[in-house]
Amino acid sequence: MNNNEEKLPKVNINWYPGHMAKTRRQIEEDLKIIDVVIELLDARIPISSQNPNIANIIKKKKKIVVLNKCDLADEKQNQLWIQYFEKKGIIAVLTDSNSGKGIDQCIRKIESMMNTDMQLQASKGRTGRKIRAMILGIPNVGKSSFINRISKRTTAGVGNKPGVTKQKQWIRINDKIELLDTPGVLWPKFESEEVALNLAFTGTIKEDILERVDIAYYLTKFLIENNRTLLCERYKITEEFITKKMSQQQLENENIYEIMLEIGKKRGCIISGGNIDEEKTARILLDEFKNGVIGKITIESPINR
């Protein structure tokens, strides 16, 4: 972060209320009867949306990583992330739960990784035993939509608010697989401001945790540095305008803030006195990013990791 730039306001985020501690204990207990863990991540932020506690919880269980919302992410980066996980010996699949893309591939991968184990079970006379899978993921990575799609049903309690799925339940996937759903679990605290921002950009953090205008400011900064062309195309501003603004002899954060206000002006966020409604501007920027309106954008790249 630029030394002249204001730091992200420090906030006390309580990510680990009682029900989440209870959920973790229940997950550890349920894992005793689980064959495969499906770890659901946001394809735009595969690292930030990965609960660092999960590796310790699942230990040596078989695991498949599902990069959900791949339709909102950069396609080249999607492929790089698949390669990243494969190099670590982890099977990864791209999915879009809204369209169903990648769901059948996910099912095939689970059946394939369990093929030898199921043959061994059959040789011992345990025919007809289903593969038991557990799905784990932080809130708002599209877990309920994924479950609805993979189980071909519409009753998994889909909602926009993080953590809407609360009850543990077994779900039939097909004749070979049954799935144990779990509520979304976040980790106790964030060590990185970057992680908190990435989760805020994608809507995992509730908007009353961090200031919406602050989040939109940092999103604008990210887009200027990494996706300037898409930003200009969406909000009808020129790259020359951005270059000129960024070269002004004032603090960088002031330059970025002025560009954000110009976006608000272009979108008609004007209030009395000709001033720009920064709250409305921030809401537009964040909503349009989350919904892929600005473009297919990946925030985290696997390069140099």
Side-chain angles (χ1 to χ4, degrees):
M1 185 176 292
N2 189 296
N3 290 332
N4 293 326
E5 188 178 345
E6 294 177 356
K7 290 284 188 178
L8 178 69
K10 297 291 184 181
V11 289
N12 180 22
I13 304 176
N14 178 16
W15 282 120
Y16 219 56
H19 78 270
M20 287 192 176
K22 181 180 179 182
T23 297
R24 172 169 176 156
R25 291 193 296 271
Q26 188 62 54
I27 288 171
E28 291 173 334
E29 182 65 27
D30 292 337
L31 274 168
K32 296 174 182 178
I33 58 169
I34 293 297
D35 302 306
V36 179
V37 171
I38 303 169
E39 185 176 15
L40 199 64
L41 307 178
D42 187 319
R44 298 166 295 178
I45 51 168
I47 300 301
S48 292
S49 61
Q50 188 171 44
N51 185 331
N53 291 335
I54 284 180
N56 293 327
I57 294 172
I58 67 175
K59 297 182 173 65
K60 295 182 179 181
K61 290 284 182 181
K62 296 182 188 296
K63 182 176 82 167
I64 179 171
V65 164
V66 174
L67 297 171
N68 199 34
K69 303 186 180 182
C70 70
D71 57 310
L72 301 176
D74 181 84
E75 293 175 5
K76 290 182 180 179
Q77 292 293 324
N78 283 343
Q79 295 306 318
L80 290 175
W81 276 113
I82 293 294
Q83 295 169 21
Y84 168 88
F85 285 108
E86 287 179 347
K87 286 178 181 177
K88 291 181 173 291
I90 300 170
I91 295 172
V93 178
L94 295 165
T95 63
D96 168 16
S97 297
N98 290 326
S99 70
K101 177 183 177 181
I103 299 297
D104 288 343
Q105 183 187 10
C106 184
I107 292 172
R108 290 194 299 271
K109 292 285 189 181
I110 292 170
E111 292 177 352
S112 176
M113 72 166 61
M114 283 299 299
N115 187 49
T116 301
D117 294 70
M118 299 311 288
Q119 287 181 356
L120 180 62
Q121 293 286 342
S123 70
K124 295 179 179 179
R126 297 189 64 188
T127 58
R129 180 186 177 279
K130 290 185 182 295
I131 299 167
R132 293 171 176 168
M134 173 188 284
I135 184 165
L136 294 176
I138 67 173
N140 220 34
V141 291
K143 191 151 65 72
S144 293
S145 297
F146 175 82
I147 291 169
N148 289 344
R149 182 64 69 167
I150 199 170
S151 62
K152 298 180 175 60
R153 70 177 200 173
T154 58
T155 57
V158 180
N160 292 323
K161 293 184 179 181
V164 71
T165 308
K166 291 292 192 290
Q167 300 298 321
K168 183 180 74 173
Q169 52 188 334
W170 283 100
I171 302 160
R172 181 182 182 277
I173 302 304
N174 59 22
D175 291 337
K176 297 181 180 179
I177 305 171
E178 58 185 6
L179 177 69
L180 178 62
D181 179 31
T182 57
V185 181
L186 279 166
W187 46 101
K189 63 180 179 179
F190 298 117
E191 301 295 340
S192 164
E193 292 175 350
E194 179 185 353
V195 170
L197 275 174
N198 290 344
L199 293 169
F201 293 158
T202 52
T204 298
I205 294 178
K206 295 179 182 179
E207 291 184 344
D208 57 354
I209 299 291
L210 294 173
E211 289 291 335
R212 185 186 287 122
V213 174
D214 289 340
I215 301 169
Y217 161 81
Y218 282 95
L219 177 60
T220 302
K221 174 178 166 61
F222 174 85
L223 294 173
I224 288 170
E225 294 174 350
N226 299 280
N227 302 93
R228 187 173 297 192
T229 300
L230 289 176
L231 184 71
C232 290
E233 288 175 353
R234 175 60 190 166
Y235 298 110
K236 303 297 186 290
I237 56 179
T238 66
E239 295 200 25
E240 290 76 16
F241 172 82
I242 291 179
T243 300
K244 184 177 179 180
K245 282 290 183 183
M246 293 301 291
S247 63
Q248 291 180 127
Q249 296 302 308
Q250 58 184 11
L251 296 179
E252 183 187 67
N253 60 304
E254 294 176 1
N255 295 334
I256 294 169
Y257 181 69
E258 287 183 10
I259 293 169
M260 189 175 87
L261 292 183
E262 180 66 17
I263 290 170
K265 182 179 178 181
K266 292 286 186 179
R267 292 304 303 271
C269 304
I270 301 172
I271 52 180
S272 61
N275 295 315
I276 306 300
D277 186 337
E278 61 176 21
E279 278 286 337
K280 185 176 180 181
T281 301
R283 186 164 57 250
I284 288 172
L285 271 164
L286 293 170
D287 286 347
E288 293 194 346
F289 173 78
K290 285 184 285 189
N291 295 322
V293 177
I294 298 173
K296 295 178 181 292
I297 298 171
T298 297
I299 297 172
E300 293 179 326
S301 172
I303 297 173
N304 298 324
R305 288 189 182 272

PDB file of all heavy atoms in Angstrom, residues 153-181:
ATOM      1  N   ARG A 153     -32.467 -29.987  -6.943  1.00  0.00           N
ATOM      2  CA  ARG A 153     -33.621 -29.619  -6.133  1.00  0.00           C
ATOM      3  C   ARG A 153     -33.566 -28.116  -5.845  1.00  0.00           C
ATOM      4  O   ARG A 153     -32.610 -27.441  -6.189  1.00  0.00           O
ATOM      5  CB  ARG A 153     -33.664 -30.403  -4.828  1.00  0.00           C
ATOM      6  CG  ARG A 153     -32.570 -30.014  -3.853  1.00  0.00           C
ATOM      7  CD  ARG A 153     -32.716 -30.776  -2.558  1.00  0.00           C
ATOM      8  NE  ARG A 153     -32.007 -30.090  -1.489  1.00  0.00           N
ATOM      9  CZ  ARG A 153     -32.066 -30.441  -0.230  1.00  0.00           C
ATOM     10  NH1 ARG A 153     -32.814 -31.459   0.148  1.00  0.00           N
ATOM     11  NH2 ARG A 153     -31.390 -29.788   0.693  1.00  0.00           N
ATOM     12  N   THR A 154     -34.577 -27.610  -5.200  1.00  0.00           N
ATOM     13  CA  THR A 154     -34.655 -26.165  -4.951  1.00  0.00           C
ATOM     14  C   THR A 154     -35.030 -25.851  -3.515  1.00  0.00           C
ATOM     15  O   THR A 154     -35.701 -24.875  -3.235  1.00  0.00           O
ATOM     16  CB  THR A 154     -35.689 -25.511  -5.891  1.00  0.00           C
ATOM     17  OG1 THR A 154     -36.955 -26.156  -5.670  1.00  0.00           O
ATOM     18  CG2 THR A 154     -35.296 -25.644  -7.330  1.00  0.00           C
ATOM     19  N   THR A 155     -34.574 -26.693  -2.577  1.00  0.00           N
ATOM     20  CA  THR A 155     -35.018 -26.499  -1.193  1.00  0.00           C
ATOM     21  C   THR A 155     -33.867 -26.419  -0.196  1.00  0.00           C
ATOM     22  O   THR A 155     -34.035 -26.741   0.971  1.00  0.00           O
ATOM     23  CB  THR A 155     -35.951 -27.653  -0.774  1.00  0.00           C
ATOM     24  OG1 THR A 155     -35.252 -28.898  -0.952  1.00  0.00           O
ATOM     25  CG2 THR A 155     -37.214 -27.654  -1.587  1.00  0.00           C
ATOM     26  N   ALA A 156     -32.685 -25.973  -0.618  1.00  0.00           N
ATOM     27  CA  ALA A 156     -31.549 -25.933   0.318  1.00  0.00           C
ATOM     28  C   ALA A 156     -31.433 -24.623   1.076  1.00  0.00           C
ATOM     29  O   ALA A 156     -30.436 -24.359   1.711  1.00  0.00           O
ATOM     30  CB  ALA A 156     -30.250 -26.211  -0.438  1.00  0.00           C
ATOM     31  N   GLY A 157     -32.458 -23.805   1.020  1.00  0.00           N
ATOM     32  CA  GLY A 157     -32.432 -22.584   1.810  1.00  0.00           C
ATOM     33  C   GLY A 157     -31.528 -21.519   1.246  1.00  0.00           C
ATOM     34  O   GLY A 157     -30.703 -20.958   1.959  1.00  0.00           O
ATOM     35  N   VAL A 158     -31.655 -21.246  -0.030  1.00  0.00           N
ATOM     36  CA  VAL A 158     -30.806 -20.240  -0.659  1.00  0.00           C
ATOM     37  C   VAL A 158     -31.174 -18.858  -0.143  1.00  0.00           C
ATOM     38  O   VAL A 158     -32.341 -18.522   0.007  1.00  0.00           O
ATOM     39  CB  VAL A 158     -30.972 -20.276  -2.194  1.00  0.00           C
ATOM     40  CG1 VAL A 158     -30.081 -19.215  -2.845  1.00  0.00           C
ATOM     41  CG2 VAL A 158     -30.615 -21.645  -2.732  1.00  0.00           C
ATOM     42  N   GLY A 159     -30.178 -18.046   0.127  1.00  0.00           N
ATOM     43  CA  GLY A 159     -30.421 -16.680   0.574  1.00  0.00           C
ATOM     44  C   GLY A 159     -29.233 -15.799   0.268  1.00  0.00           C
ATOM     45  O   GLY A 159     -28.145 -16.290   0.034  1.00  0.00           O
ATOM     46  N   ASN A 160     -29.430 -14.497   0.291  1.00  0.00           N
ATOM     47  CA  ASN A 160     -28.358 -13.571  -0.016  1.00  0.00           C
ATOM     48  C   ASN A 160     -27.500 -13.241   1.195  1.00  0.00           C
ATOM     49  O   ASN A 160     -26.368 -12.797   1.055  1.00  0.00           O
ATOM     50  CB  ASN A 160     -28.943 -12.269  -0.585  1.00  0.00           C
ATOM     51  CG  ASN A 160     -29.568 -12.489  -1.943  1.00  0.00           C
ATOM     52  OD1 ASN A 160     -29.062 -13.269  -2.730  1.00  0.00           O
ATOM     53  ND2 ASN A 160     -30.666 -11.811  -2.203  1.00  0.00           N
ATOM     54  N   LYS A 161     -28.032 -13.422   2.384  1.00  0.00           N
ATOM     55  CA  LYS A 161     -27.273 -13.069   3.565  1.00  0.00           C
ATOM     56  C   LYS A 161     -26.293 -14.182   3.918  1.00  0.00           C
ATOM     57  O   LYS A 161     -26.640 -15.356   3.878  1.00  0.00           O
ATOM     58  CB  LYS A 161     -28.217 -12.815   4.750  1.00  0.00           C
ATOM     59  CG  LYS A 161     -29.096 -11.576   4.567  1.00  0.00           C
ATOM     60  CD  LYS A 161     -29.928 -11.321   5.799  1.00  0.00           C
ATOM     61  CE  LYS A 161     -30.774 -10.063   5.621  1.00  0.00           C
ATOM     62  NZ  LYS A 161     -31.588  -9.785   6.820  1.00  0.00           N
ATOM     63  N   PRO A 162     -25.039 -13.822   4.277  1.00  0.00           N
ATOM     64  CA  PRO A 162     -24.053 -14.840   4.646  1.00  0.00           C
ATOM     65  C   PRO A 162     -24.556 -15.717   5.779  1.00  0.00           C
ATOM     66  O   PRO A 162     -25.156 -15.250   6.741  1.00  0.00           O
ATOM     67  CB  PRO A 162     -22.860 -13.999   5.089  1.00  0.00           C
ATOM     68  CG  PRO A 162     -23.008 -12.710   4.359  1.00  0.00           C
ATOM     69  CD  PRO A 162     -24.488 -12.471   4.276  1.00  0.00           C
ATOM     70  N   GLY A 163     -24.327 -17.049   5.637  1.00  0.00           N
ATOM     71  CA  GLY A 163     -24.660 -17.969   6.708  1.00  0.00           C
ATOM     72  C   GLY A 163     -26.117 -18.332   6.808  1.00  0.00           C
ATOM     73  O   GLY A 163     -26.580 -18.722   7.874  1.00  0.00           O
ATOM     74  N   VAL A 164     -26.874 -18.251   5.693  1.00  0.00           N
ATOM     75  CA  VAL A 164     -28.309 -18.512   5.768  1.00  0.00           C
ATOM     76  C   VAL A 164     -28.609 -19.978   6.036  1.00  0.00           C
ATOM     77  O   VAL A 164     -29.612 -20.320   6.637  1.00  0.00           O
ATOM     78  CB  VAL A 164     -29.026 -18.036   4.484  1.00  0.00           C
ATOM     79  CG1 VAL A 164     -28.681 -18.930   3.309  1.00  0.00           C
ATOM     80  CG2 VAL A 164     -30.527 -17.995   4.685  1.00  0.00           C
ATOM     81  N   THR A 165     -27.725 -20.903   5.591  1.00  0.00           N
ATOM     82  CA  THR A 165     -27.958 -22.331   5.793  1.00  0.00           C
ATOM     83  C   THR A 165     -27.500 -22.709   7.199  1.00  0.00           C
ATOM     84  O   THR A 165     -26.350 -22.555   7.530  1.00  0.00           O
ATOM     85  CB  THR A 165     -27.175 -23.164   4.759  1.00  0.00           C
ATOM     86  OG1 THR A 165     -27.470 -22.671   3.464  1.00  0.00           O
ATOM     87  CG2 THR A 165     -27.569 -24.622   4.843  1.00  0.00           C
ATOM     88  N   LYS A 166     -28.396 -23.216   8.022  1.00  0.00           N
ATOM     89  CA  LYS A 166     -28.064 -23.476   9.414  1.00  0.00           C
ATOM     90  C   LYS A 166     -28.134 -24.967   9.789  1.00  0.00           C
ATOM     91  O   LYS A 166     -27.354 -25.437  10.579  1.00  0.00           O
ATOM     92  CB  LYS A 166     -29.014 -22.698  10.331  1.00  0.00           C
ATOM     93  CG  LYS A 166     -28.813 -21.187  10.293  1.00  0.00           C
ATOM     94  CD  LYS A 166     -27.486 -20.786  10.915  1.00  0.00           C
ATOM     95  CE  LYS A 166     -27.408 -19.283  11.133  1.00  0.00           C
ATOM     96  NZ  LYS A 166     -27.298 -18.531   9.900  1.00  0.00           N
ATOM     97  N   GLN A 167     -29.079 -25.720   9.237  1.00  0.00           N
ATOM     98  CA  GLN A 167     -29.306 -27.087   9.690  1.00  0.00           C
ATOM     99  C   GLN A 167     -28.433 -28.097   8.938  1.00  0.00           C
ATOM    100  O   GLN A 167     -28.205 -27.973   7.753  1.00  0.00           O
ATOM    101  CB  GLN A 167     -30.779 -27.471   9.480  1.00  0.00           C
ATOM    102  CG  GLN A 167     -31.753 -26.583  10.235  1.00  0.00           C
ATOM    103  CD  GLN A 167     -31.566 -26.656  11.733  1.00  0.00           C
ATOM    104  OE1 GLN A 167     -31.311 -27.723  12.273  1.00  0.00           O
ATOM    105  NE2 GLN A 167     -31.692 -25.524  12.401  1.00  0.00           N
ATOM    106  N   LYS A 168     -27.955 -29.101   9.676  1.00  0.00           N
ATOM    107  CA  LYS A 168     -27.225 -30.196   9.048  1.00  0.00           C
ATOM    108  C   LYS A 168     -28.228 -31.109   8.353  1.00  0.00           C
ATOM    109  O   LYS A 168     -29.287 -31.405   8.891  1.00  0.00           O
ATOM    110  CB  LYS A 168     -26.450 -30.973  10.112  1.00  0.00           C
ATOM    111  CG  LYS A 168     -25.589 -32.087   9.532  1.00  0.00           C
ATOM    112  CD  LYS A 168     -24.840 -32.820  10.628  1.00  0.00           C
ATOM    113  CE  LYS A 168     -25.758 -33.720  11.414  1.00  0.00           C
ATOM    114  NZ  LYS A 168     -25.024 -34.566  12.377  1.00  0.00           N
ATOM    115  N   GLN A 169     -27.874 -31.570   7.135  1.00  0.00           N
ATOM    116  CA  GLN A 169     -28.807 -32.439   6.422  1.00  0.00           C
ATOM    117  C   GLN A 169     -28.067 -33.305   5.393  1.00  0.00           C
ATOM    118  O   GLN A 169     -27.084 -32.888   4.804  1.00  0.00           O
ATOM    119  CB  GLN A 169     -29.874 -31.597   5.721  1.00  0.00           C
ATOM    120  CG  GLN A 169     -29.329 -30.481   4.838  1.00  0.00           C
ATOM    121  CD  GLN A 169     -30.419 -29.559   4.331  1.00  0.00           C
ATOM    122  OE1 GLN A 169     -31.563 -29.961   4.205  1.00  0.00           O
ATOM    123  NE2 GLN A 169     -30.058 -28.319   4.041  1.00  0.00           N
ATOM    124  N   TRP A 170     -28.579 -34.536   5.215  1.00  0.00           N
ATOM    125  CA  TRP A 170     -28.060 -35.438   4.184  1.00  0.00           C
ATOM    126  C   TRP A 170     -28.874 -35.225   2.920  1.00  0.00           C
ATOM    127  O   TRP A 170     -30.093 -35.131   2.960  1.00  0.00           O
ATOM    128  CB  TRP A 170     -28.172 -36.901   4.626  1.00  0.00           C
ATOM    129  CG  TRP A 170     -27.127 -37.306   5.624  1.00  0.00           C
ATOM    130  CD1 TRP A 170     -27.278 -37.400   6.969  1.00  0.00           C
ATOM    131  CD2 TRP A 170     -25.776 -37.669   5.345  1.00  0.00           C
ATOM    132  NE1 TRP A 170     -26.103 -37.789   7.546  1.00  0.00           N
ATOM    133  CE2 TRP A 170     -25.162 -37.973   6.584  1.00  0.00           C
ATOM    134  CE3 TRP A 170     -25.019 -37.769   4.174  1.00  0.00           C
ATOM    135  CZ2 TRP A 170     -23.827 -38.370   6.684  1.00  0.00           C
ATOM    136  CZ3 TRP A 170     -23.686 -38.159   4.273  1.00  0.00           C
ATOM    137  CH2 TRP A 170     -23.108 -38.455   5.501  1.00  0.00           C
ATOM    138  N   ILE A 171     -28.178 -35.198   1.799  1.00  0.00           N
ATOM    139  CA  ILE A 171     -28.830 -34.928   0.517  1.00  0.00           C
ATOM    140  C   ILE A 171     -28.384 -35.980  -0.491  1.00  0.00           C
ATOM    141  O   ILE A 171     -27.195 -36.220  -0.664  1.00  0.00           O
ATOM    142  CB  ILE A 171     -28.456 -33.516  -0.002  1.00  0.00           C
ATOM    143  CG1 ILE A 171     -28.850 -32.456   1.038  1.00  0.00           C
ATOM    144  CG2 ILE A 171     -29.113 -33.232  -1.342  1.00  0.00           C
ATOM    145  CD1 ILE A 171     -28.124 -31.149   0.864  1.00  0.00           C
ATOM    146  N   ARG A 172     -29.348 -36.586  -1.164  1.00  0.00           N
ATOM    147  CA  ARG A 172     -29.032 -37.587  -2.188  1.00  0.00           C
ATOM    148  C   ARG A 172     -28.585 -36.895  -3.469  1.00  0.00           C
ATOM    149  O   ARG A 172     -29.280 -36.045  -4.005  1.00  0.00           O
ATOM    150  CB  ARG A 172     -30.263 -38.451  -2.480  1.00  0.00           C
ATOM    151  CG  ARG A 172     -30.020 -39.538  -3.512  1.00  0.00           C
ATOM    152  CD  ARG A 172     -31.318 -40.300  -3.770  1.00  0.00           C
ATOM    153  NE  ARG A 172     -31.115 -41.384  -4.734  1.00  0.00           N
ATOM    154  CZ  ARG A 172     -31.114 -41.223  -6.054  1.00  0.00           C
ATOM    155  NH1 ARG A 172     -31.324 -40.020  -6.580  1.00  0.00           N
ATOM    156  NH2 ARG A 172     -30.935 -42.262  -6.853  1.00  0.00           N
ATOM    157  N   ILE A 173     -27.397 -37.263  -3.967  1.00  0.00           N
ATOM    158  CA  ILE A 173     -26.884 -36.695  -5.215  1.00  0.00           C
ATOM    159  C   ILE A 173     -27.239 -37.595  -6.396  1.00  0.00           C
ATOM    160  O   ILE A 173     -27.778 -37.150  -7.402  1.00  0.00           O
ATOM    161  CB  ILE A 173     -25.353 -36.508  -5.150  1.00  0.00           C
ATOM    162  CG1 ILE A 173     -24.976 -35.603  -3.972  1.00  0.00           C
ATOM    163  CG2 ILE A 173     -24.813 -35.938  -6.468  1.00  0.00           C
ATOM    164  CD1 ILE A 173     -25.644 -34.253  -3.975  1.00  0.00           C
ATOM    165  N   ASN A 174     -26.929 -38.888  -6.268  1.00  0.00           N
ATOM    166  CA  ASN A 174     -27.306 -39.892  -7.269  1.00  0.00           C
ATOM    167  C   ASN A 174     -27.275 -41.257  -6.590  1.00  0.00           C
ATOM    168  O   ASN A 174     -27.244 -41.332  -5.355  1.00  0.00           O
ATOM    169  CB  ASN A 174     -26.391 -39.832  -8.504  1.00  0.00           C
ATOM    170  CG  ASN A 174     -24.920 -40.049  -8.148  1.00  0.00           C
ATOM    171  OD1 ASN A 174     -24.586 -40.623  -7.100  1.00  0.00           O
ATOM    172  ND2 ASN A 174     -24.035 -39.590  -9.022  1.00  0.00           N
ATOM    173  N   ASP A 175     -27.253 -42.325  -7.386  1.00  0.00           N
ATOM    174  CA  ASP A 175     -27.273 -43.663  -6.809  1.00  0.00           C
ATOM    175  C   ASP A 175     -25.985 -44.008  -6.065  1.00  0.00           C
ATOM    176  O   ASP A 175     -25.946 -44.974  -5.300  1.00  0.00           O
ATOM    177  CB  ASP A 175     -27.502 -44.709  -7.914  1.00  0.00           C
ATOM    178  CG  ASP A 175     -28.906 -44.620  -8.492  1.00  0.00           C
ATOM    179  OD1 ASP A 175     -29.794 -44.092  -7.786  1.00  0.00           O
ATOM    180  OD2 ASP A 175     -29.113 -45.062  -9.646  1.00  0.00           O
ATOM    181  N   LYS A 176     -24.918 -43.218  -6.297  1.00  0.00           N
ATOM    182  CA  LYS A 176     -23.617 -43.536  -5.701  1.00  0.00           C
ATOM    183  C   LYS A 176     -23.187 -42.576  -4.590  1.00  0.00           C
ATOM    184  O   LYS A 176     -22.345 -42.929  -3.767  1.00  0.00           O
ATOM    185  CB  LYS A 176     -22.535 -43.537  -6.789  1.00  0.00           C
ATOM    186  CG  LYS A 176     -22.724 -44.584  -7.871  1.00  0.00           C
ATOM    187  CD  LYS A 176     -21.590 -44.506  -8.885  1.00  0.00           C
ATOM    188  CE  LYS A 176     -21.757 -45.548  -9.989  1.00  0.00           C
ATOM    189  NZ  LYS A 176     -20.657 -45.452 -10.993  1.00  0.00           N
ATOM    190  N   ILE A 177     -23.722 -41.365  -4.576  1.00  0.00           N
ATOM    191  CA  ILE A 177     -23.214 -40.335  -3.667  1.00  0.00           C
ATOM    192  C   ILE A 177     -24.331 -39.722  -2.825  1.00  0.00           C
ATOM    193  O   ILE A 177     -25.409 -39.424  -3.331  1.00  0.00           O
ATOM    194  CB  ILE A 177     -22.536 -39.189  -4.463  1.00  0.00           C
ATOM    195  CG1 ILE A 177     -21.439 -39.736  -5.387  1.00  0.00           C
ATOM    196  CG2 ILE A 177     -21.942 -38.140  -3.514  1.00  0.00           C
ATOM    197  CD1 ILE A 177     -20.884 -38.690  -6.343  1.00  0.00           C
ATOM    198  N   GLU A 178     -24.044 -39.538  -1.552  1.00  0.00           N
ATOM    199  CA  GLU A 178     -24.900 -38.729  -0.695  1.00  0.00           C
ATOM    200  C   GLU A 178     -24.040 -37.655  -0.038  1.00  0.00           C
ATOM    201  O   GLU A 178     -22.862 -37.872   0.265  1.00  0.00           O
ATOM    202  CB  GLU A 178     -25.638 -39.581   0.347  1.00  0.00           C
ATOM    203  CG  GLU A 178     -24.747 -40.391   1.259  1.00  0.00           C
ATOM    204  CD  GLU A 178     -25.556 -41.295   2.168  1.00  0.00           C
ATOM    205  OE1 GLU A 178     -26.787 -41.363   1.997  1.00  0.00           O
ATOM    206  OE2 GLU A 178     -24.959 -41.929   3.059  1.00  0.00           O
ATOM    207  N   LEU A 179     -24.640 -36.497   0.168  1.00  0.00           N
ATOM    208  CA  LEU A 179     -23.899 -35.317   0.588  1.00  0.00           C
ATOM    209  C   LEU A 179     -24.385 -34.813   1.939  1.00  0.00           C
ATOM    210  O   LEU A 179     -25.585 -34.678   2.173  1.00  0.00           O
ATOM    211  CB  LEU A 179     -24.076 -34.208  -0.465  1.00  0.00           C
ATOM    212  CG  LEU A 179     -23.442 -32.851  -0.179  1.00  0.00           C
ATOM    213  CD1 LEU A 179     -21.928 -32.945  -0.251  1.00  0.00           C
ATOM    214  CD2 LEU A 179     -23.949 -31.828  -1.204  1.00  0.00           C
ATOM    215  N   LEU A 180     -23.432 -34.532   2.823  1.00  0.00           N
ATOM    216  CA  LEU A 180     -23.758 -33.939   4.114  1.00  0.00           C
ATOM    217  C   LEU A 180     -23.457 -32.444   4.036  1.00  0.00           C
ATOM    218  O   LEU A 180     -22.319 -32.032   3.857  1.00  0.00           O
ATOM    219  CB  LEU A 180     -22.928 -34.580   5.233  1.00  0.00           C
ATOM    220  CG  LEU A 180     -23.152 -34.009   6.643  1.00  0.00           C
ATOM    221  CD1 LEU A 180     -24.601 -34.216   7.078  1.00  0.00           C
ATOM    222  CD2 LEU A 180     -22.199 -34.640   7.637  1.00  0.00           C
ATOM    223  N   ASP A 181     -24.487 -31.640   4.147  1.00  0.00           N
ATOM    224  CA  ASP A 181     -24.309 -30.190   4.127  1.00  0.00           C
ATOM    225  C   ASP A 181     -23.913 -29.715   5.524  1.00  0.00           C
ATOM    226  O   ASP A 181     -24.241 -30.330   6.524  1.00  0.00           O
ATOM    227  CB  ASP A 181     -25.621 -29.529   3.699  1.00  0.00           C
ATOM    228  CG  ASP A 181     -25.525 -28.013   3.687  1.00  0.00           C
ATOM    229  OD1 ASP A 181     -24.423 -27.497   3.420  1.00  0.00           O
ATOM    230  OD2 ASP A 181     -26.542 -27.360   3.950  1.00  0.00           O
TER     231      ASP A 181
END
